[in-house]
Structures are given as structure tokens and as C-alpha cells.
Amino acid sequence: MKQACKPLSETLWEIPTTFKEGMKVPARIIATRELLEAMDETVVEQITNVATLPGIVKAAYCMPDGHSGYGFPIGGVAAMDARTGVISPGGIGFDINCGMRLALTRLQVEEVQPHLEKLVDRLFERVPSGVGSSGFVDLSEDEFREVAEQGSRWALKNGYAWPEDLELTEDLGASPGANADAVSASAIQRGRKHIGTLGSGNHYLEIQVLKPENIYDPAMAEKLGLFPGQVVVMFHCGSRGFGHQIATDYLKLFLAVSEKKYGIQLRDRELAAAPFQSPEGQAYYGAMKCAVNMSFANRQVILHRVREVFSEVFGRDARDLGLQMVYDVAHNTAKLEEYSESARGPKRQLLVHRKGATRAFGPGMPELPARYRETGQPVIIGGSMETGSYLLTGTSSGSESFFSTAHGSGRTMSRHQAKRLFHGRELADKMRRAGTYVRTASFAGLAEEAGAAYKDIDEVIETTRRAGISRPVAKFTPIGNIKG
Amino acid sequence: MPYHYLEHLSWADTAFEAWAATPESLLIESSRACLQVMVPDLSSVRPRERREIAFHSDSSDLRSALDALLFELLEKQIFFKDAEQLLLLCTQASLKPMESGHELRATLEGEAIDPNRHEFATDVKAVTLHRFHVEGPGASPHKSREENWKATVVLDV
């Protein structure tokens, strides 16, 4: 199937509409030849299925870290006309607003190393992770509904945020359109105790260092508040049981109506969809936004705990330690955004699905916080726990893919294969010898996340640079890690 | 063991195949396969709590009904894990044809999550419909009676 991919450039491949009956637009894969060859064939099957969805505009995109998912491939981006197009839960994923947050410190790595184990141990206690973990924030169901509708604003009102944190969160930490009435009682029950928890699998909280040789754009790095030897904190998590249940609830509903009520031919049950303007489409959108907001609030509460722990360990106020956010950005979401087909053409509203793909708005875009209008939006892309993660910025040329870029590096092997090849405790010891102190709720889970189980993040990042969809600023090396 | 984990269906998540002589046994074995993703040592989960659940499928075809009801059962198991911090296994299941479809009544038994006794592997977020499939008798003529019914499930972890 990959033979159907025709090169438009060294980093852009196109599968024409003639490849599959029903394709309304071409499918485009952003990748080098090497990354394309390493992708599994199911990616082509899935992205060309996405191209058949009603109302899709321009092309169905797959990012350089793409791999097979459910319905959409991971790394899938699809923009639908907001008036005539569909919304599909498969284009957002079960973990709604799985995303990344990056915070800086004023600390040099030499100041942190003597305290590293204490920091990681305390963070491991204060930020619950793993199967069935519950957060310290005890909420009634009504209070949780407030979180779902208010997101980070709820966190600010309750003392878990600094005012500037909201400005530095996508959608100001509270996506408009959230409707708690569209959320099932099961989802509320399932998510109520998850505020301030990390989850499991590939979710993590890392203390990282910026080595001087890993600053790729010194001028931009300085503008973003970075300096050589700096310690930063990065974490990756989502909407936990709340989002997972909302996704399941609406997948079932959409399956019941996609074909029977709306005549949408389903190539894949996980591509179930409904017209965005339909009652079902609007209900899912309202519920999905609740999960988006809960996830922002979750990451905000986690940052609060990070500030508490650093403050306790260093005996200084968190502001004095410089624990300021850089940005918080989702990589599983659907957003209403405006685009025009040409530079002077009229703008129209599109619903942009990004599943395992990160929004990367370029310089000058009015939606950005004032401090980032010149630089472009910060983009945080996570690598494996052994290779490190990146900070990038959005670019003007990102308009090709609706200002979307990669979100991670993608896997090279299954979780079971990784558990056969790697042993969690040995891996933790190896990482310690290499300079990273790990605490985990599951050594089996840790083995699944071994560095060799993931593709080369450097190659993915370089591809996004060559494709012009994001611009690397710096790479961070983990020195402390908490995993569920 | 009447189930095994599959490597080829999903690299990022976990998939299993379960098989059994009867639909009810298939539900029970699938429930075990799902919980074992999270708790590798199922013997560490004691039957101290019980939840009775009931689901209905409109399908009069047993295979189609089982397809839908297996999904509901596994989803409920995952729900209890988060909503009530309970690790539960399906220990009894009764699947009956009704005037309008099929009804499943099942017993889930287990206990509260205890990090001091339960060793965890990976959390399960959701049951997906990716390649989700139940096969009934006759799907493969060379199967033994113990393999009359087979389920393929991919779990998002």
C-alpha cells in the first residue's frame, strides 16, 4: 500500500483520491523516505479511510511519527467544514486532551543533583500514578462538573494556579463549548477522583536538564526563557478515566447513528462519525470539551504539586525558584479554527481533528498569547524516557498541515515484545547508571517504555524541521522520572 | 490457558484472543484476560466484593449479541476499576434469549485495589472496537469444542 505514496517533496507524500473509492481528498504523509518505509501499512489504510469522511477539506494528513491507531492513525490530522462536515471521536482518541506541559526553573543542574532523589521520591508520593490511582483533590460530583466546564479557571479559583498559567495554556486552560449536561453519570463517577493523577502507560513526569550542546536556536531559546544547564519539568498525561469514558460513550452512540441515521458509510467502526451540526455531534463536542478542560485542570494541579515539592526541598518560594510555565498543549483534540484557501480568500471555520498530533501555530497568529506572537507557539514533543524530549515553535509554513506537527516518536515494537526483551528493575538500574533516577508504579510497565521500544525522536524532529511544520529550539535530557 | 496476548494487532496497546466452549465461558475468560493486563497475578485478587450487572442486546443472533455484550462487560470491569477502585473478575455469566434479543446477567467479584498486595502492570483505559470480533461455532470447522467461541479484543492502555 505504501507504493501508492507519491513524493511531492522529500518530506511530503501523497496518496491520490483514485487509490480508494469514496476518498474525497488525497491523503498526505509528512515523512522522509526512511520514516515512511518504517511506518506500518495500516497507516495508509487508515489515513485513506479518513479521507472518505464527509466534509473533509484539502487532505487527510499523517505526521512523521504516525503509526496505526483506531480509526484514525496516531499522528492523524483532518479538518472538516464546520457547517457540512462530521466530527469523529476516533479523530481525537480515548485519552481526550492527552497533552504536554513544560515548566522552567531558575536552577542549574548542579544545584538540583544533590536533591534529585528527594525531589523524585516526593513527586512520586504527591503525584499518584498507575492503576486505580486517586488524586488528593476530593470533589463531589457537582464540583467535578464545575472542573469539567471551567478547566484551569477552576484551578485558579481554588488556589492551584498562578494567573499567568492560564494565559500559557492552550485555550487559556478552558476550552469554550464545554457542556457538563452532555456527560454521562458514568464518566463523572469514573473521573471524579482523578484530578492530580498521572495515569500509566507512556505518561510521565520528568525533571530534565538543558545541556548547552542541545540548544539548537540560541536566540529563540533565550526569548523562551531557557539557559544552558537549566533544569526544567515536563509532564505528559491526559483526561484519565473521565475522557476515556466520554470517548467510549460517544463511540457507542455514533455507531448507532452513523449509518442508520446519517448514511455515513463506516469503513471502520472506530471511524464512527456524525455531522458536527447534528444533535449527536454537538453533544459529543460539548462532552469532549469537558474532558479537554478536566485534563487542563489535571495538569494544572500536577504543576501545583511540583511547585510545592520543589519549594519544600529547596526551602524557597516557587516563584523565587522560577517555576514558570512555558506552555501546555494538547495532542488529542478537535478545535474550531479559521482558514482560507488562499492568502486573500475568505476564511471559513473548520473543525480540525488532531489525534497524536500537536497544534503548532506560527508567528503572528492572534490566538497566541502576546509573548508568543513573535516567536510562534511553543510545541512540546516527548521522546522516550531514555532519549529526551523537545521544545519547538510553530512556523508560518505550518499552514500546509493546518499548523499541526508531531507529538512523539512512535513505537518500534509491541508492549509484549518490549517486556520480553527488557526487565523493569534492570532497566531502572541502567538508567540510574546513565544519570536518570526513576520511580515507577510498575516495573513491567517501565520495561514496555524502554528507549529501544521507540523510534528515533531526533529523526522525527528533524523531519518536522525539514517539512517546515515546526522549528526545533532545544532538547531536554531526563535526570529524574516518575512513571505509572 | 484459554487466552493469549497478541503482538501483531497493536504495538502501542494490548490485544488478546480468548476462546471457550460456551458463550458464558468466553465472557469469563475474556474478563480474566482483561484484568491480567493490569494485575499479572490474578490469584492476588480475592473475591471480597461483588457487583451484579445486567445488559441487553437487541440482536436475536447469538453471535452478534455476544459481540455487543462482551464489549459492555469489559467496559464495566474497567469502569469499576476507576470509579470504585475495584479489581473485578466475571465469575458467573448467564446469557438468555429474550423476546427482543438477548440478556446477559453476570457476577463480578474481586476487591479494592491495594498497592501493598497487588502488583500492577499497565492500566487499561478502554476497550476499543479495533478488530473487536467474536466468532461462533462453525467459523472454523477444525476447531476443538473448547474453541467453539473466540473473541479478539484490543485494549487501549
Side-chain angles (χ1 to χ4, degrees):
Chain A
M1 274 201 255
K2 282 187 279 185
Q3 292 160 337
C5 301
K6 307 295 176 214
L8 298 184
S9 75
E10 62 174 10
T11 54
L12 185 62
W13 304 78
E14 183 171 281
I15 304 160
T17 57
T18 51
F19 173 77
K20 182 180 282 181
E21 189 187 333
M23 281 177 71
K24 296 170 175 59
V25 295
R28 289 184 181 161
I29 299 177
I30 298 175
T32 56
R33 181 180 294 277
E34 292 73 24
L35 281 175
L36 178 66
E37 283 172 1
M39 281 185 189
D40 50 294
E41 290 281 349
T42 311
V43 169
V44 173
E45 174 72 13
Q46 290 182 336
I47 199 63
T48 51
N49 284 343
V50 171
T52 69
L53 288 173
I56 188 167
V57 168
K58 188 174 173 188
Y61 284 90
C62 183
M63 296 297 111
D65 55 335
H67 58 96
S68 64
Y70 311 131
F72 274 60
I74 307 296
V77 177
M80 316 310 206
D81 185 291
R83 288 174 303 115
T84 62
V86 298
I87 185 168
S88 176
I92 291 137
F94 284 101
D95 198 355
I96 299 168
N97 193 3
C98 188
M100 306 287 291
R101 182 171 288 214
L102 174 64
L104 307 178
T105 76
R106 286 203 183 95
L107 300 166
Q108 286 274 1
V109 63
E110 295 79 17
E111 297 175 85
V112 171
Q113 282 290 6
H115 306 283
L116 183 65
E117 284 195 21
K118 192 188 288 185
L119 280 169
V120 172
D121 287 344
R122 287 204 187 173
L123 285 167
F124 186 67
E125 286 165 23
R126 303 282 184 83
V127 183
S129 59
V131 176
S133 49
S134 299
F136 73 94
V137 184
D138 191 12
L139 298 171
S140 68
E141 291 192 2
D142 283 341
E143 286 168 330
F144 186 73
R145 285 191 185 86
E146 275 185 38
V147 176
E149 291 196 339
Q150 297 175 18
S152 297
R153 292 203 308 267
W154 167 88
L156 180 65
K157 277 198 295 194
N158 288 275
Y160 301 123
W162 298 347
E164 61 267 39
D165 293 342
L166 274 62
E167 188 205 354
L168 298 170
T169 304
E170 190 179 352
D171 289 343
L172 305 179
S175 238
N179 178 11
D181 291 339
V183 173
S184 70
S186 294
I188 300 284
Q189 286 161 32
R190 208 175 145 190
R192 185 169 66 88
K193 296 179 183 173
H194 282 173
I195 298 286
T197 66
L198 202 58
S200 181
N202 63 3
H203 292 166
Y204 60 85
L205 188 161
E206 284 186 350
I207 300 172
Q208 303 166 339
V209 62
L210 177 55
K211 296 182 179 179
E213 62 270 29
N214 289 339
I215 298 175
Y216 304 119
D217 187 334
M220 186 68 84
E222 192 177 349
K223 284 181 188 168
L224 297 178
L226 307 183
F227 57 83
Q230 184 180 25
V231 167
V232 303
V233 180
M234 180 186 288
F235 43 101
H236 171 219
C237 58
S239 50
R240 308 282 285 109
F242 185 54
H244 311 159
Q245 190 64 45
I246 287 172
T248 299
D249 290 342
Y250 279 91
L251 178 63
K252 288 196 289 190
L253 172 64
F254 278 28
L255 274 172
V257 302
S258 282
E259 286 186 338
K260 280 188 194 155
K261 189 172 178 184
Y262 296 112
I264 300 169
Q265 187 196 358
L266 284 189
R267 309 281 172 145
D268 181 331
R269 287 193 286 182
E270 288 275 350
L271 265 187
F276 180 56
Q277 297 297 341
S278 69
E280 295 88 349
Q282 289 293 298
Y284 169 64
Y285 185 76
M288 186 265 294
K289 290 300 182 180
C290 285
V292 166
N293 292 346
M294 178 269 183
S295 184
F296 285 139
N298 187 30
R299 291 199 288 274
Q300 185 60 52
V301 168
I302 289 174
L303 179 60
H304 174 76
R305 293 297 253 188
V306 168
R307 286 169 172 158
E308 279 184 338
V309 166
F310 270 74
S311 181
E312 282 168 22
V313 170
F314 287 96
R316 288 158 63 184
D317 185 79
R319 279 197 184 277
D320 188 49
L321 291 169
L323 267 156
Q324 295 277 358
M325 273 181 64
V326 173
Y327 206 57
D328 180 313
V329 64
H331 51 235
N332 277 2
T333 187
K335 307 284 296 286
L336 283 169
E337 296 170 3
E338 292 200 337
Y339 293 92
S340 56
E341 294 198 30
S342 63
R344 290 202 179 88
K347 288 201 173 195
R348 64 170 160 165
Q349 201 175 49
L350 301 179
L351 180 69
V352 183
H353 296 70
R354 295 186 181 94
K355 178 177 165 180
T358 312
R359 190 190 78 176
F361 277 171
M365 292 185 76
E367 296 87 348
L368 292 178
R371 70 177 76 183
Y372 295 141
R373 291 216 191 107
E374 186 197 330
T375 61
Q377 178 211 304
V379 176
I380 308 153
I381 296 182
S384 81
M385 61 186 183
E386 294 186 79
T387 55
S389 304
Y390 276 82
L391 174 65
L392 309 90
T393 52
T395 58
S396 302
S397 50
S399 58
E400 160 66 42
S401 59
F402 300 105
F403 296 103
S404 309
T405 189
H407 85 305
S409 52
R411 292 185 69 92
T412 59
M413 65 180 74
S414 72
R415 291 185 172 278
H416 282 276
Q417 188 176 2
K419 274 194 290 207
R420 282 207 308 276
L421 292 175
F422 309 106
H423 300 282
R425 288 183 198 276
E426 286 175 18
L427 183 57
D429 289 343
K430 175 194 163 204
M431 289 173 65
R432 190 70 181 106
R433 290 192 298 274
T436 304
Y437 176 56
V438 180
R439 289 293 306 272
T440 179
S442 163
F443 282 102
L446 192 73
E448 292 175 3
E449 294 297 310
Y454 283 88
K455 295 177 192 172
D456 180 357
I457 182 71
D458 296 340
E459 191 180 354
V460 168
I461 298 299
E462 173 60 9
T463 303
T464 70
R465 185 195 68 77
R466 285 166 64 185
I469 57 176
S470 50
R471 172 181 170 184
V473 176
K475 179 179 177 180
F476 303 105
T477 305
I479 55 173
N481 184 299
I482 291 111
K483 291 195 78 65
Chain B
M1 194 160 65
Y3 54 86
H4 66 185
Y5 297 99
L6 302 169
E7 301 214 1
H8 62 280
L9 281 193
S10 172
W11 280 5
D13 294 299
T14 293
F16 69 81
E17 246 174 23
W19 48 90
T22 66
E24 289 83 356
S25 302
L26 186 69
L27 293 165
I28 291 169
E29 296 303 338
S30 299
S31 166
R32 293 178 67 82
C34 179
L35 186 61
Q36 196 166 33
V37 171
M38 295 184 269
V39 186
D41 179 7
L42 290 181
S43 68
S44 67
V45 179
R46 298 172 301 190
R48 292 184 145 186
E49 296 267 353
R50 174 183 286 200
R51 297 287 183 275
E52 304 288 343
I53 59 172
F55 295 109
H56 179 263
S57 164
D58 289 338
S59 179
S60 56
D61 173 70
L62 178 57
R63 192 213 65 78
S64 293
L66 185 57
D67 191 281
L69 294 168
L70 173 60
F71 184 90
E72 298 284 354
L73 174 74
L74 296 178
E75 196 215 332
K76 201 68 178 177
Q77 195 177 357
I78 295 163
F79 167 82
F80 280 123
K81 178 258 302 175
D82 286 335
E84 297 187 36
Q85 283 77 53
L86 288 175
L87 302 172
L88 298 176
L89 278 170
C90 177
T91 52
Q92 281 185 317
S94 165
L95 188 55
K96 286 188 169 34
M98 310 290 283
E99 199 173 302
S100 61
H102 284 81
E103 183 184 68
L104 167 67
R105 290 189 177 274
T107 303
L108 302 181
E109 291 184 276
E111 63 177 329
I113 288 170
D114 182 352
N116 293 323
R117 282 195 308 104
H118 300 127
E119 194 168 318
F120 299 115
T122 307
D123 197 14
V124 174
K125 292 176 181 166
V127 194
T128 79
L129 286 169
H130 184 69
R131 310 288 173 96
F132 188 97
H133 190 58
V134 167
E135 283 177 35
S140 171
H142 304 295
K143 286 191 300 191
S144 68
R145 185 181 174 275
E146 284 67 38
E147 296 171 333
N148 260 348
W149 293 88
K150 186 171 104 171
T152 306
V153 178
V154 178
L155 302 168
D156 190 323
V157 301

